[in-house]
Amino acid sequence: MDLSYSPDEEAFRARVRAWLAANVPAPTARQDLEALRAWQRTLHAAGFVGASWPKEYGGAGLSDMEQAILNEELARARAPGVLNAMAIWWVGPAVMRYGTDEQKRRFIPPILTADEIWATGYSEPTSGSDMAAARTRAVRDGDHYVVSGQKIWTTLAHIADWFFVLVRTSTEGPKWAGLSLLLMDMRSPGIEVRPIRQIDGGAEFNEVFMTDVRVPVANLLGQEGQGWEVVSSALINERTGIAGSIRFDQALDWIATTARAQGKTKDPCVRQRIAELVTKAAIVRYSGMRSLSDSLHGRMNPHLSAAMKLTSTSLTQEFSETAMEVLGPYAALMDDPRAPSSGRWAKQYLGDRSMTIAGGTSEVQRNIVAQRILGLPRDRGTTAGKR
Ligand SMILES: Cc1cc2nc3c(=O)[nH]c(=O)nc-3n(C[C@H](O)[C@H](O)[C@H](O)COP(=O)(O)OP(=O)(O)OC[C@H]3O[C@@H](n4cnc5c(N)ncnc54)[C@H](O)[C@@H]3O)c2cc1C
């Protein structure tokens, strides 16, 4: 593993750091939809969204190392995330990899500027981990597919313009072989979006019902029957994105501040817990650097993203569990004037529960690590069609 940076990379870091110091919104600034859209546009204008994407599609053509430096500096500056993160992490890369020239020209630019927001439709009421069992049916009718079925847990469907949706185009052969990926206009007749209320009071994900929705064949991504391959590669990007988006340095600061505010910094149990978190956060950070180094040297096992997602999401839960213990019984208060830290740890604790489920559960990630990294035999309950 090579941890050194070249003079050009250090110069790039200095440029990014100076730009962020001048442009990152204050922590008190509003973070509603339009504010986040404006922030993504500002970042994009500076060349910091889709930074490693080719210039011909509106990216900045930066190297993977420069993208990694940019990510570090965004985290260091406590910059807000981008509104269209799902599209940046996996929809855009999938369109660039599998799309026609026409699809690339049509869909990539508005992803970068957040003019068009994307939702992802894999999960169904009867197929989550076993995604290959998707039943949403797409039947060819001339130059359209007619789509009927239901998706669930669809993040951002209530504000999305487009849907990256997995559909069944054939019932012949193995179940994964009959899947295809469509790019569906969310304003098409026949789509109904129903929000799902979450335990933390928010409603960021939804059920999506599709009844005879007509999608032009020109919006098929890749070939008919290639959906499983498209989604498998998108899931690797999703796991990498989830793992990379968790900011442990920031969480460590918050937890140390919380322990100080509660007068618990002399409690040996609390000190021990925090020391463990610091150690584990460092391990996750160095694992990330090792995989970056592997990727730069062309020896990256793409399934390492499962291990990174597994460890970082489990660790983020340990952080919020520790904070709740440090805060004591008042920690359970959320929307209450007596809630410590304005209820931020309570919200974080509840939100973190979902992290080991979204993008594939921890059990499924362990299966991937066992089979695809360690080369262990498949467990008898596992079929080829698991996330
Ligand atoms: C915050 C959040 C956002 C999400 N956003 C989206 C989205 O935008 N689009 C989308 O399509 N989906 C989304 N999901 C859904 C998510 O991908 C699924 O919830 C997840 O894949 C698990 O599927 P499931 O809920 O059907 O559980 P199931 O697959 O029914 O699993 C139930 C339990 O069985 C275990 N299990 C299943 N198979 C195995 C196995 N082979 N070996 C061992 N254990 C197993 C699981 O680990 C789990 O504990 C989101 C979920 C969350 C929490």
Side-chain angles (χ1 to χ4, degrees), residues 134-177:
R135 291 181 182 172
T136 293
R137 197 77 173 94
V139 178
R140 184 83 184 250
D141 177 24
D143 54 4
H144 282 76
Y145 287 101
V146 180
V147 182
S148 292
Q150 185 198 342
K151 298 291 175 180
I152 192 166
W153 317 122
T154 317
T155 306
L156 298 190
H158 56 299
I159 59 163
D161 303 285
W162 286 90
F163 203 21
F164 187 77
V165 61
L166 186 67
V167 295
R168 179 159 300 287
T169 41
S170 167
T171 51
E172 304 292 317
K175 55 188 179 181
W176 53 267

Side-chain angles (χ1 to χ4, degrees), residues 85-353:
M86 293 190 293
I88 302 288
W89 291 346
W90 64 86
V91 177
V95 171
M96 284 190 285
R97 180 164 173 188
Y98 295 100
T100 60
D101 286 344
E102 174 58 28
Q103 287 171 338
K104 291 175 198 173
R105 273 195 302 274
R106 165 65 189 83
F107 292 113
I108 297 291
I111 285 177
L112 289 167
T113 52
D115 280 313
E116 289 178 345
I117 307 298
W118 285 75
T120 303
Y122 307 151
S123 305
E124 299 185 4
T126 51
S127 59
S129 303
D130 192 7
M131 200 175 58
R135 291 181 182 172
T136 293
R137 197 77 173 94
V139 178
R140 184 83 184 250
D141 177 24
D143 54 4
H144 282 76
Y145 287 101
V146 180
V147 182
S148 292
Q150 185 198 342
K151 298 291 175 180
I152 192 166
W153 317 122
T154 317
T155 306
L156 298 190
H158 56 299
I159 59 163
D161 303 285
W162 286 90
F163 203 21
F164 187 77
V165 61
L166 186 67
V167 295
R168 179 159 300 287
T169 41
S170 167
T171 51
E172 304 292 317
K175 55 188 179 181
W176 53 267
L179 296 170
S180 301
L181 199 296
L182 294 180
L183 310 174
M184 180 185 281
D185 185 341
M186 285 296 275
R187 291 185 186 81
S188 311
I191 299 182
E192 186 193 347
V193 176
R194 292 187 202 156
I196 300 174
R197 181 67 52 192
Q198 295 153 207
I199 194 171
D200 65 358
E204 280 135 27
F205 52 27
N206 308 268
E207 293 177 286
V208 179
F209 296 85
M210 291 157 284
T211 310
D212 295 335
V213 180
R214 294 184 74 80
V215 179
V217 171
N219 285 13
L220 173 71
L221 186 65
Q223 304 297 312
E224 202 174 280
Q226 207 181 4
W228 180 252
E229 180 191 327
V230 173
V231 168
S232 298
S233 92
L235 276 168
I236 288 173
N237 290 331
E238 178 171 357
R239 289 170 189 141
T240 308
I242 291 174
S245 68
I246 298 174
R247 297 174 172 182
F248 290 113
D249 289 351
Q250 199 166 330
L252 277 173
D253 276 359
W254 283 335
I255 217 160
T257 308
T258 304
R260 262 184 229 110
Q262 295 298 113
K264 299 241 175 112
T265 46
K266 292 204 164 52
D267 179 332
C269 295
V270 171
R271 292 169 72 87
Q272 188 65 33
R273 284 289 293 268
I274 295 178
E276 265 175 40
L277 294 177
V278 172
T279 309
K280 288 182 180 174
I283 292 170
V284 169
R285 179 171 150 73
Y286 286 116
S287 303
M289 290 171 108
R290 190 184 63 175
S291 59
L292 172 64
S293 188
D294 282 354
S295 154
L296 294 172
H297 292 94
R299 52 174 187 242
M300 168 92 168
N301 178 339
H303 299 292
L304 206 55
S305 64
M308 285 158 56
K309 197 247 165 189
L310 174 64
T311 45
S312 55
T313 54
S314 305
L315 184 54
T316 197
Q317 289 180 346
E318 282 188 50
F319 268 85
S320 47
E321 283 158 15
T322 303
M324 295 296 273
E325 281 173 32
V326 169
L327 286 170
Y330 279 91
L333 296 174
M334 206 160 58
D335 297 317
D336 188 288
R338 288 159 299 177
S341 314
S342 309
R344 70 159 301 281
W345 277 116
K347 285 197 186 89
Q348 173 102 23
Y349 174 82
L350 294 174
D352 283 350
R353 300 290 95 196

